[in-house]
Amino acid sequence: MTGCSAAEKPADPDPSEMVQSIHDALPQDIQDDGSLTVVISGANPPWWVTTPGKAEEYTGAGAELMQKVGEIMGVDVEVVAIPDISGAFASISAKRYAFGFFPYADSVGGPRERPGAEFVDVLKEVVPFLVKKGNPANVTSMDDLCGVTVAALVNAATYKVAEAQAAKCQETGQDLDVLGIKTVPDGILAVRSGRADAFFTGGASLFHAAKESKGELEVVGDEYDNGFAGQFMGALLPKGSDLTQPLLDSFQILFDNGDYVKIMKKWGLDSEIIEKPGVNLYADWLADNPTK
């Protein structure tokens, strides 16, 4: 994939063959260019791992999945980082870029729905907290955040949930400081440096950070939904995008041929694997769980 280098990990899945029907279903401008550009928010291990000395090259589960999608579509895939999700969605809606795959949290049908968006979902996420080893601030769930400082990605759903919790804390005469950060590495650094007591974001990034910290950091609260029950994640597109069906079909091939599971397990994402991809799966989950 353009903008990504091969990961130095166990054997990769074999290259995928182009599927002509999927290629032909792509918008004409993408067929003519022979490439498309995917938006991410920046480094987000284990999804998007930066290559030392090569700022625009990534390894990781996201890089590998996008490479496979590009092979099936018969186009090159390039990557551009836009830290702000609102800016990312605006650029996608304006057709400056094809779609986003950080991956992003599906919000369709929920209280934090992003107007005009739809999602091709490929995983189900847990959203816990990253803290220093020993959990000195005793954070285990949203109810434990009063009186602490929590870092969250600006404009992400976790930031909005943390702000809502801050309002609840104020009702009890306590403060919850929400530290807005732009990237996952910024959040990890905030915890390491003591600027934040906890970092609140998707579990994949946090479990990876804890594993790489050599015992300095740990993940807590993963047994609670923390405001994100039924949290499916995947690719971000404008509602009714011409790319939704080709992207869904490409992912379905990766699910069917086993490459999806191979890549997810290779990067330690076993707990987030789902049986099949789908469009706006969060809305389906809400329909099946009306009291949540």
Side-chain angles (χ1 to χ4, degrees):
M1 179 172 69
T2 302
C4 297
S5 60
E8 297 179 359
K9 284 186 172 277
D12 296 328
D14 294 331
S16 297
E17 294 185 0
M18 184 186 80
V19 177
Q20 191 66 50
S21 60
I22 293 179
H23 177 82
D24 292 345
L26 297 173
Q28 191 61 49
D29 60 333
I30 292 177
Q31 293 187 48
D32 293 343
D33 291 343
S35 66
L36 58 79
T37 301
V38 174
V39 177
I40 67 174
S41 292
N44 180 25
W47 289 101
W48 297 96
V49 183
T50 53
T51 302
K54 299 179 180 180
E56 296 182 356
E57 294 191 10
Y58 297 87
T59 59
E64 293 191 15
L65 286 171
M66 288 299 97
Q67 179 175 334
K68 303 299 289 183
V69 164
E71 291 170 355
I72 292 168
M73 290 181 170
V75 297
D76 292 329
V77 177
E78 300 176 356
V79 175
V80 62
I82 301 179
D84 175 23
I85 187 173
S86 295
F89 185 56
S91 68
I92 296 165
S93 298
K95 297 187 177 181
R96 183 179 178 188
Y97 304 119
F99 58 86
F101 190 77
F102 191 42
Y104 293 98
D106 186 343
S107 60
V108 175
R112 298 178 295 276
E113 181 170 357
R114 183 169 294 278
E118 70 183 13
F119 298 82
V120 175
D121 295 316
V122 296
L123 67 132
K124 191 174 182 181
E125 180 70 288
V126 294
V127 188
F129 304 93
L130 182 72
V131 299
K132 286 185 177 180
K133 188 69 175 180
N135 193 10
N138 295 316
V139 173
T140 56
S141 69
M142 295 301 295
D143 293 335
D144 299 317
L145 293 183
C146 296
V148 307
T149 298
V150 62
L153 292 165
V154 174
N155 287 328
T158 46
Y159 189 88
K160 296 177 181 179
V161 169
E163 284 193 318
Q165 183 63 29
K168 292 180 181 179
C169 290
Q170 287 184 340
E171 292 174 359
T172 64
Q174 302 178 78
D175 290 326
L176 164 57
D177 293 326
V178 182
L179 176 65
I181 45 92
K182 292 183 177 181
T183 69
V184 169
D186 288 343
I188 297 168
L189 180 60
V191 174
R192 284 184 177 276
S193 67
R195 291 179 63 217
D197 298 296
F199 177 28
F200 183 39
T201 195
S205 303
L206 301 189
F207 285 115
H208 182 81
K211 181 180 178 181
E212 296 294 312
S213 73
K214 299 180 180 179
E216 295 180 5
L217 305 172
E218 64 177 308
V219 176
V220 297
D222 52 306
E223 67 270 36
Y224 300 101
D225 63 56
N226 296 316
F228 288 93
Q231 185 58 76
F232 290 93
M233 302 185 74
L236 170 65
L237 305 99
K239 187 175 182 180
S241 170
D242 291 339
L243 277 168
T244 297
Q245 193 62 49
L247 183 57
L248 177 63
D249 292 344
S250 298
F251 272 120
Q252 187 63 64
I253 289 173
L254 298 181
F255 275 66
D256 291 344
N257 68 15
D259 284 350
Y260 163 78
V261 168
K262 288 178 183 177
I263 292 170
M264 294 289 281
K265 287 187 174 181
K266 172 181 175 180
W267 291 95
L269 297 166
D270 308 49
S271 64
E272 303 185 2
I273 291 172
I274 58 177
E275 292 185 1
K276 61 182 296 184
V279 176
N280 300 336
L281 293 181
Y282 180 50
D284 295 341
W285 183 89
L286 288 172
D288 293 336
N289 298 270
T291 60
K292 296 294 184 181

